[in-house]
Amino acid sequence: MTDRQTPGQHARSPFNAIRAIDYTVIFVRDMAAMRRFYEDVLAFPLSRELSPNWIEYGIGSNTLALARPSRTSGDAPTPAGSASLQLAFKVSAAEVDACADELVRQGVALVSPPTDQSFGHRTLFFRDPDGNLLEVYGEI
């Protein structure tokens, strides 16, 4: 670190070239249940299925992939009852309530119903079949 750098800065790091997260992978325990949830409940568009162990959905300019852990690593699946991640999906504030209504219609339990937060978001929280925490939010 040079004298002009603050902690956490890395001058001329090749990682400074990163401009976006291109895709996110959820390592799944139950591929069939997760696929039904993301395709049928959330209605995410399937972009491609590389194998029964790797499925991709197009969400805006990003890709969300469902994968069995052995596809890319030898990691054991996340233990039952443990969320391995939280994903936040951005919509308009008015659409948060419509999403909540659709989840309830589909039989999905809400962790937290649509709520206006002091930091300027209207939020909704629920879980996917593997227990991962999902959020739908809109700026208010």
Side-chain angles (χ1 to χ4, degrees):
M1 185 164 69
T2 66
D3 292 335
R4 292 188 285 159
Q5 285 179 270
T6 60
Q9 284 186 323
H10 301 283
R12 293 176 287 207
S13 168
F15 295 104
N16 290 338
I18 295 172
R19 297 291 176 255
I21 295 176
D22 185 59
Y23 65 95
T24 300
V25 179
I26 301 175
F27 291 122
V28 303
R29 288 186 288 268
D30 185 337
M31 181 65 85
M34 291 286 279
R35 185 170 185 171
R36 278 191 306 275
F37 182 80
Y38 284 92
E39 289 178 26
D40 298 342
V41 175
L42 299 186
F44 285 177
L46 180 68
S47 60
R48 66 183 178 163
E49 182 175 348
L50 298 180
S51 77
N53 297 319
W54 186 279
I55 299 166
E56 296 180 358
Y57 303 96
I59 304 170
S61 61
N62 294 294
T63 297
L64 178 66
L66 303 180
R68 289 202 170 91
S70 62
R71 169 80 176 144
T72 55
S73 70
D75 292 353
T78 305
S82 300
S84 59
L85 60 85
Q86 175 180 332
L87 296 175
F89 302 105
K90 187 176 183 181
V91 298
S92 73
E95 292 167 320
V96 172
D97 292 87
C99 290
D101 291 345
E102 179 61 15
L103 289 168
V104 170
R105 190 184 75 72
Q106 294 270 0
V108 176
L110 303 182
V111 171
S112 174
T115 305
D116 290 344
Q117 304 292 342
S118 62
F119 49 84
H121 287 177
R122 182 158 181 78
T123 61
L124 157 68
F125 290 92
F126 56 102
R127 295 189 183 276
D128 70 15
D130 270 4
N132 296 305
L133 188 61
L134 305 180
E135 174 186 1
V136 172
Y137 79 97
E139 293 179 355
I140 52 174

